[in-house]
Amino acid sequence: MTAELVRGQNHTLPQTRLEIRVSAGTPVVAGATLGDERGTVRGIEWIAHPGSPQLPGLEVSQQAAADHRLAVDLEALPPGAHRVTVLLALPVGVGGPVRFGAVPAPFVAVTGLDGTEIASFTLTDLDAESAVSALELYRRQDVWKVRAVGQGYAGGLAAMLADQGVTEPAALAGTIQEAVTRGLARSVAPPPPRTPEGDRVRHTTGSADHRPTAPPPPPAPEPPEPLTDPATTGPAHTAQPHTAPGPAAAGASAGGPINYAHPRRQHAAPPSPPPTGPPAQPGQPAQPVAGDATGWSMDERLYNQIWGMFEDLARAVAAHRSAVDFAESRMDQELDRALSDPRNRIGGAGDRAREAARAKRDELASRAREALDRDLAQLAAEAAVVEPALPAAYAGWGNPVWHAHRIPMEIPMALRIGDLHLPERTDLRIPLLVRLPLERGMWVDSGRTASEAAALMDTDRLRRLAMETAVAHAARLLAVYPPGEFAVHVIDPAGSAAGPLAPLVEAGVLAGPPAAGPGGVASVLAHLTRRVDLVQMAVRARAADSLPPDLDTGEQLLVVNDFPHGFDDRAVTQLRYLADEGPAVGVHLLMVADREEASAYGPVLDPLWRSLLRITPVADSHLADPWVGHAWTYEPLTVPPGSRVLEQVLAAVAEARRAAGR
């Protein structure tokens, strides 16, 4: 039975191999310190954090996330370690919340490796604190216990580390936050919290869903932000500072009231999808259906369903990997115990002990694989139904929906920019969707050191492929925006991308000819910088009518090829300005660059790279999910060989513009 702790209460731990699960509702940094008998941390080598995630007997997440799983083996801790303190902190400098009082109360649970909950603690009554000691595991008379702490620090991570006796806590806190910032740059941000019922309809009878789930978050202290209509408002940030997407339907956390605002509707919860297909047999899941999620429209339901599939796959694989690790660890412990007895070293007793330990390991691993295979089969069946039903904005280039595509009159909720998969089943692809309007620019990495696949390619071929990827993304954006509401500018300093740019140039859908040479670079950057400045001033002064009549108020995309060639210091400064300030007023970057070639600028460009979502022209495992931090393989969207779909779509864009007089 789970012990639900309150601040200061303790509970005896029945085992020494544990998981500490954190559910925060917003990305937080999770770490842990080791303390001696007096609770003093002896040095940085006793601190596990995203920049140094592993210690003997302790492993933490490498990035900020809404959910964490910390692995603890109390018997494997360094000699002299009598205490493990779990620390939580809000990321600094990433545009997110700055105090725990503005986010849902974090929930922490201590579990066995099989997921059985031993003790839990909800960190309530936090306000101005940005860091908190959540709980501690401590040894008292050779017995390990857990204590709920909940001590917050308004001074942040540095104040919390100083309180534990860490020398130079500010420097260490800066190192940790820097590692977190790097991790967020590669992380796909999660959607806003789902409705209490979980916005996916399982359609099962007679059996519980066997997918792994995290403990439900406690009620949020504040209602979620209302849904805004992207067709009538400017770009807005969601709870995440960078990419992606959350469902437009935002509900209160588990147990709280639903708040689902819409500018043209009553405040009400979105409808659930109607039952489809034959009823399920008792104990068996029904056939999957497209749109198996809540939402006001089919597009919104599909969007929420895809995010649900993404999360389900992440958690199912995490449960499998955890179970396999447990089986391996158990085998090692049994072998150690057996071989520590001198009697087992003589005769066949040792061999029999090895065989028995390995047989148990194989049995546990087999059962874990069977559970994973059931989950994967269910998700694969769901993906097979969902993929053909996707609208153009969510569909790959090979989907027939593109051949009948008509330029819409409203902006869609999101855009597909690639696929994600895990090594457990590489043919199970999850569409990677980013919300529109874009909240973060993109960087197509043309460097040969970016991945193993890139290292095997010729440099010129890789650069051409990177530019073709950027052109395909620009074409998709043009195709899903209403006529005249999205403009694409191109900077090609050396004119080396004439071939890949041909579809955009020949269709006549660019805002102007690709800019070449230093003069062209300066002209385009000055034009877009002026636009950002004017719109910002108009917004601050609440004087939108004062904008010059020749100013294009539609969304703007700047495609930059072969950066930093052709860029002087002033141009680099303007580009950084556009990356930082542009998305909030509708100016976005799509850069094709090799970071190694820009290394001469040193750390001055680090904020630029971190502000952009890195994608690759070839498959690469560089993106992380926001739930458990798996490394997902990103697959770019490609036009089928011999297909003219890209040219057809761009021709439709040009025709729609002419018809609209744009």
Side-chain angles (χ1 to χ4, degrees):
M1 184 174 183
T2 303
E4 297 182 0
L5 305 180
V6 297
R7 189 173 276 107
Q9 187 177 2
N10 60 40
H11 181 73
T12 300
L13 295 172
Q15 58 199 78
T16 57
R17 292 188 57 82
L18 307 162
E19 272 193 352
I20 299 174
R21 303 187 179 187
V22 179
S23 179
T26 191
V28 297
V29 183
T33 61
L34 303 180
D36 57 20
E37 290 180 337
R38 295 185 298 275
T40 302
V41 180
R42 293 183 178 177
I44 59 173
E45 66 276 7
W46 273 24
I47 304 174
H49 57 81
S52 179
Q54 291 183 333
L55 296 177
L58 180 62
E59 183 174 359
V60 303
S61 303
Q62 299 185 47
Q63 65 180 54
D67 297 307
H68 292 272
R69 291 189 181 189
L70 285 64
V72 182
D73 184 351
L74 298 173
E75 293 182 350
L77 295 177
H82 289 256
R83 186 172 303 183
V84 180
T85 304
V86 177
L87 315 176
L88 304 178
L90 294 170
V92 174
V94 297
V98 296
R99 60 187 186 91
F100 275 109
V103 301
F107 176 88
V108 185
V110 179
T111 74
L113 295 185
D114 59 355
T116 303
E117 220 171 80
I118 300 169
S120 65
F121 174 42
T122 301
L123 285 77
T124 57
D125 299 327
L126 297 176
D127 186 11
E129 298 89 344
S130 59
V132 60
S133 294
L135 53 78
E136 63 181 10
L137 314 179
Y138 65 98
R139 181 163 52 188
R140 182 68 53 82
Q141 297 178 349
D142 293 330
V143 176
W144 282 96
K145 297 183 179 182
V146 56
R147 177 188 291 120
V149 180
Q151 174 64 54
Y153 296 84
L157 190 56
M160 181 166 57
L161 293 172
D163 191 43
Q164 297 199 25
V166 177
T167 58
E168 299 184 1
L172 179 57
T175 300
I176 295 173
Q177 293 290 1
E178 176 66 20
V180 170
T181 303
R182 290 196 302 268
L184 285 173
R186 61 184 287 270
S187 176
V188 179
R194 299 183 187 176
T195 58
E197 292 79 8
D199 59 8
R200 305 191 67 207
V201 180
R202 297 295 183 195
H203 295 309
T204 58
T205 59
S207 67
D209 185 17
H210 57 268
R211 298 181 184 179
T213 57
E222 300 174 0
E225 295 182 0
L227 172 67
T228 56
D229 184 356
T232 59
T233 62
H237 288 274
T238 63
Q240 288 299 314
H242 299 308
T243 104
S253 56
I258 298 173
N259 184 344
Y260 194 96
H262 192 283
R264 292 191 296 271
R265 294 190 178 94
Q266 298 290 331
H267 294 286
S272 297
T276 305
Q281 296 296 322
Q284 297 294 326
Q287 293 297 316
V289 294
D292 187 9
T294 58
W296 289 110
S297 65
M298 188 59 173
D299 285 1
E300 187 175 341
R301 291 175 181 172
L302 288 168
Y303 174 84
N304 291 342
Q305 185 174 14
I306 289 170
W307 266 102
M309 293 166 60
F310 187 14
E311 181 175 359
D312 286 346
L313 180 54
R315 295 192 184 281
V317 169
H320 170 258
R321 293 179 181 178
S322 178
V324 172
D325 289 344
F326 170 73
E328 293 285 348
S329 172
R330 176 174 174 174
M331 180 187 71
D332 291 341
Q333 289 181 344
E334 290 180 351
L335 288 176
D336 289 343
R337 284 196 298 268
L339 297 180
S340 64
D341 187 346
R343 292 171 297 179
N344 290 336
R345 300 174 189 171
I346 303 174
D351 293 336
R352 288 193 296 272
R354 291 189 189 93
E355 291 175 2
R358 288 168 181 158
K360 289 181 181 178
R361 185 272 314 271
D362 293 343
E363 179 187 1
L364 290 173
S366 175
R367 285 161 50 190
R369 186 69 208 193
E370 289 176 2
L372 177 64
D373 287 342
R374 289 195 299 269
D375 289 337
L376 295 180
Q378 183 177 349
L379 284 167
E382 190 171 6
V385 172
V386 168
E387 187 70 37
L390 296 177
Y394 302 177
W397 286 116
N399 194 312
V401 70
W402 279 107
H403 295 283
H405 178 63
R406 296 293 180 268
I407 307 304
M409 298 309 294
E410 292 187 357
I411 303 172
M413 176 178 287
L415 182 74
R416 185 174 184 170
I417 62 169
D419 293 328
L420 299 172
H421 65 81
L422 290 172
E424 278 75 7
R425 182 160 178 174
T426 57
D427 64 328
L428 179 53
R429 308 295 176 90
I430 304 296
L432 175 57
L433 303 179
V434 295
R435 284 294 293 269
L436 296 179
L438 293 172
E439 298 170 356
R440 184 182 184 186
M442 290 183 283
W443 159 37
V444 184
D445 192 347
S446 60
R448 295 185 68 238
T449 59
S451 66
E452 294 182 4
L456 298 175
M457 297 190 80
D458 175 75
T459 300
D460 292 337
R461 170 60 181 153
L462 184 62
R463 289 179 175 176
R464 181 182 179 89
L465 197 59
M467 194 60 195
E468 288 175 351
T469 301
V471 167
H473 287 312
R476 293 175 73 88
L477 285 162
L478 286 166
V480 301
Y481 267 78
E485 293 191 18
F486 196 89
V488 177
H489 308 260
V490 175
I491 290 179
D492 185 19
S496 59
L501 287 171
L504 295 174
V505 175
E506 293 172 0
V509 294
L510 294 178
V521 172
S523 176
V524 172
L525 290 176
H527 169 73
L528 292 176
T529 300
R530 171 179 175 269
R531 183 194 181 282
V532 171
D533 289 340
L534 290 174
V535 175
Q536 281 186 338
M537 288 187 290
V539 170
R540 290 167 184 163
R542 299 183 180 180
D545 294 341
S546 65
L547 289 171
D550 63 337
L551 186 75
D552 183 0
T553 57
E555 300 282 308
Q556 311 287 310
L557 178 70
L558 174 58
V559 180
V560 180
N561 180 47
D562 214 15
F563 177 81
H565 298 300
F567 282 74
D568 56 20
D569 290 344
R570 176 180 173 82
V572 169
T573 300
Q574 289 177 312
L575 195 67
R576 284 190 55 186
Y577 176 73
L578 293 178
D580 293 338
E581 305 294 336
V585 291
V587 177
H588 315 284
L589 290 184
L590 177 53
M591 293 182 57
V592 178
D594 178 358
R595 187 169 182 174
E596 294 295 324
E597 294 185 353
S599 59
Y601 285 95
V604 71
L605 287 181
D606 287 349
L608 174 64
W609 304 122
R610 288 197 297 264
S611 69
L612 304 173
L613 173 64
R614 175 177 172 258
I615 56 178
T616 52
V618 294
D620 184 33
S621 302
H622 68 280
L623 291 177
D625 67 80
W627 300 286
V628 291
H630 292 317
W632 293 73
T633 298
Y634 168 81
E635 293 271 2
L637 299 176
T638 57
V639 177
S643 173
R644 300 282 299 172
V645 64
L646 184 63
E647 290 77 8
Q648 293 172 10
V649 167
L650 291 174
V653 171
E655 178 60 32
R657 287 185 173 183
R658 287 191 292 269
R662 301 296 181 94

